[in-house]
Amino acid sequence: MKSDGMRLGFLAGVIAGCILVVLFLWMTKKDGSIRCKYDERQQLVRGRGFQYGFFSWMIFNGIEILLDVGFEKQYMDTSMSLYFGMVVGVAVYVSYNIWHDGYFSLNENPKRAISLLVAMTVLNGACGAFRVHEGLLENGVLTLLNGANLLLAVAMLLILSVLFVKWHSDQKWTE
């Protein structure tokens, strides 16, 4: 059982993460606003990306239900399972939008956004590494308190990889 201090620390991390998202949105914009501005083509791409992200989340939930029913042993607690599904959906959504040029808004500075994504990946990776060192499993089950940062770091690494491959493929075609 986790201590109240760990739960409070996790809650503080979630609140800090929400604040960082707002700061991230503000810091990456060229015009100082928080709101992103997209053209019609980007809005269509983002809608399709949302659709793929949603169905990825649904497929993940279906697989999770089958595993839950099919096996007596639980590998993730309910919170971690729900979080994992959300991260899968968001990673698919963002990756699709990056690949189809719908991720960066017209008023966004991509270099700043990528720098902040790298920083957030490193911070979550460091927290995840600490959790791995301390032990990820609690009574043989992966919990949200132990696995959230590591999962987020892996998802952000995947997103940064898609950004790099997309940039590299765009460079290849312009030469």
Side-chain angles (χ1 to χ4, degrees), residues 33-125:
S33 72
I34 293 177
R35 196 157 198 272
C36 298
K37 297 172 182 143
Y38 299 99
D39 63 21
E40 293 83 12
R41 186 196 59 77
Q42 286 177 306
Q43 288 175 349
L44 288 172
V45 166
R46 292 173 66 79
R48 176 73 47 99
F50 182 80
Q51 187 178 21
Y52 287 141
F54 172 78
F55 284 115
S56 298
W57 174 67
M58 292 294 289
I59 290 167
F60 175 86
N61 283 341
I63 292 169
E64 184 65 26
I65 289 168
L66 289 175
L67 290 173
D68 187 47
V69 170
F71 295 104
E72 289 181 19
K73 178 145 177 59
Q74 184 182 15
Y75 295 98
M76 288 187 278
D77 71 356
T78 304
S79 298
M80 185 63 190
S81 176
L82 292 170
Y83 181 72
F84 203 121
M86 290 182 346
V87 170
V88 166
V90 169
V92 169
Y93 168 73
V94 171
S95 297
Y96 181 87
N97 287 337
I98 288 168
W99 196 256
H100 295 281
D101 299 317
Y103 183 69
F104 295 111
S105 66
L106 300 173
N107 63 332
E108 196 163 24
N109 182 333
K111 289 180 183 176
R112 249 190 257 163
I114 292 169
S115 298
L116 287 170
L117 278 172
V118 168
M120 289 190 300
T121 303
V122 169
L123 287 172
N124 278 294

